[in-house]
Amino acid sequence: MESQNVTFRVPVSIGECLPKRLQELGMTRSEYLLSLIRYDLSIAKPHHTTGDFHRLTFDERDRIDREIAKAYLSGESLGGSWFENRVKEAAKELSLPQEPAPSKVGEKLRKRLRSGK
């Protein structure tokens, strides 16, 4: 893989959550960051939850980051994405025995990219 070295900083409150999240996902920091970047580039629009945080003051961002970290560490989350919830609803409507695994979406995307469509 061609790659370049990139250094970045994260707020302390968010950084304190990383080891736990990385362990849950079975990822390294690099894999995690690449996963987030790939996701963002795939949707190519600001995320509805955090898309405008860069416009806030450092103090406002710090307060929000502390709240996000506190919620994550206590087990709270937004509970998935709109798309994820639509997949679950569709699987239920079709009486599928289980919802499709996320990897199925990735497989379809890879096939689409290979075929040039």
Side-chain angles (χ1 to χ4, degrees):
M1 170 177 83
E2 287 186 57
S3 63
Q4 62 184 15
N5 224 4
V6 176
T7 301
F8 64 97
R9 300 174 62 83
V10 297
V12 171
S13 58
I14 298 296
E16 290 172 345
C17 296
L18 277 177
K20 179 181 178 191
R21 187 65 180 142
L22 294 174
Q23 184 178 13
E24 289 172 348
L25 295 170
M27 292 179 161
T28 64
R29 283 182 184 202
S30 179
E31 290 166 337
Y32 183 62
L33 179 61
L34 283 171
S35 176
L36 295 175
I37 292 170
R38 287 176 182 130
Y39 174 78
D40 178 64
L41 294 175
S42 296
I43 63 169
K45 66 180 188 175
H47 190 277
H48 66 279
T49 306
T50 60
D52 62 353
F53 280 14
H54 64 283
R55 293 188 179 110
L56 302 174
T57 67
F58 285 115
D59 287 343
E60 289 172 311
R61 282 186 263 170
D62 283 344
R63 280 195 301 276
I64 291 170
D65 289 338
R66 283 192 296 272
E67 286 299 315
I68 291 170
K70 180 181 171 186
Y72 168 72
L73 293 172
S74 71
E76 291 181 45
S77 79
L78 294 176
S81 67
W82 176 87
F83 179 72
E84 181 182 1
N85 289 325
R86 287 295 299 133
V87 169
K88 287 178 183 179
E89 288 173 17
K92 189 175 181 179
E93 287 172 16
L94 295 171
S95 301
L96 296 176
Q98 63 186 14
E99 64 190 67
S103 61
K104 295 290 183 191
V105 175
E107 286 175 25
K108 289 184 185 240
L109 180 59
R110 283 190 295 275
K111 284 179 186 175
R112 189 169 130 199
L113 292 173
R114 276 195 301 262
S115 70
K117 292 183 182 178

